[in-house]
Amino acid sequence: MSKASRRRQRPGTSPSTPRPASAPPPTGTGSSSASKPVGTDGTAAPTGATTGATAGGATAAGTTGSPGTTGSAGTTGSAGTQRAAGTPSTSRPSSTRVGRRERQRAYVKPTFVQRYRTAIIVLAALAGVALLSTFVFLSASQPAFACSTVWTPNPTASPAAGATPALGYVQPDMGRQHVAVGDKVTYTYCAPASGNHYNRPGTAGPIPARMYGPSDTVLPQGWIHNLEHGGIVILYRGDSAGATPEGQAQLRALYDTFPNSPVCNIPKGEIAPVIARFDQMSSPFQAIVWGRVLLLDAFDQAQILAFYEQWGERTNPEKQCAAPSASPAGSAAPGASASAAPSVTAVPSASAAPSAAASSSSSASAAPSSN
């Protein structure tokens, strides 16, 4: 036994056993002299002794034992190779399986919609909101009515001497159908003395008979229903003196002293008068009953009251009471046709009563309307 082997077997000595970097070289039982162990005297060592010496001392992972004992690091085969215990096999197949072919994965390119789907949805939502907002804005800013013509009547001849002048001008009839609240109405003539209107008493039409300021919204669809029931509407333009504080005070005084209706004796505030701003008209002031218009360049309370006394509750299609009987004391009276309408410059007395002919020009129905 060599000195190195004896030192490794000495009690208390634990020599380091470095891990082999690779599998030990193969050993065999061939006849080559290089593969056989040589004794101290130059002759071949016995096989048993050589095996014990190799297992005890030469093997890197061997354990301490007596000569002739096989080490735990490996065994010597007669014709094989020696591999350290616990060393994994590093052998790989030399080639892939014959006949097996790897399938190539097909690449599908996403469409434009698939790539930008989120952006498209967001843009579509924003566009919808924008369109809805535009529609609401245009609906709110669009006027509830329209005028085809700002009516300017042709001048007429003055009345004959001694005749009671027929105040105002006859405006062509535009019908009187009821429409839903909120519906837009286009009037052929403005300011209209007839036409389609709302039918919601007290709110939309007839509207409350009172004075409305320049900033109040008053639609013709509402006060035309007042005309239909025999009322009078007094209008002023927003650029006229009626919209000034002095003009508003004059209109307020007219309303406060306004008389009862001339035929049915209805107190003010029920059907008449409606005093409101209206810009689509040819004169600064206008007084209107159903089918007839008095144009004024300046505010004239006496002429407005005379106009109402002459034509109020006589031209409207829906009567609120029985028509008065004809007066036996007749004076030369104007007819109700447009050809008999004089110039509005002739101002009659406020106490002038309409003639029998003017009274008979109204509708023959005596019963009040239920509408």
Side-chain angles (χ1 to χ4, degrees), residues 3 5 13 17 64 79 92 126 143 156 168 188 199 226 231 238 269 327 361 367:
K3 292 181 180 181
S5 297
T13 302
T17 55
T64 303
R92 292 183 179 180
L126 293 176
T156 57
T188 305
N199 183 28
N226 295 65
S327 174
S361 65

Side-chain angles (χ1 to χ4, degrees), residues 272-362:
V274 173
I275 303 176
R277 173 183 173 177
F278 191 80
D279 294 338
Q280 290 81 6
M281 56 186 188
S282 59
S283 61
F285 296 88
Q286 290 187 9
I288 305 175
V289 295
W290 184 270
R292 200 169 190 92
V293 183
L294 175 67
L295 285 72
L296 297 171
D297 291 330
F299 177 75
D300 191 332
Q301 178 171 331
Q303 197 164 359
I304 292 173
L305 292 176
F307 175 74
Y308 184 52
E309 181 69 23
Q310 188 176 33
W311 299 110
E313 297 182 315
R314 289 177 173 87
T315 59
N316 56 298
E318 294 185 6
K319 304 301 180 181
Q320 304 303 304
C321 67
S325 60
S327 174
S331 60
S337 63
S339 61
S343 172
V344 297
T345 57
V347 180
S349 172
S351 61
S355 65
S359 300
S360 61
S361 65
S362 61

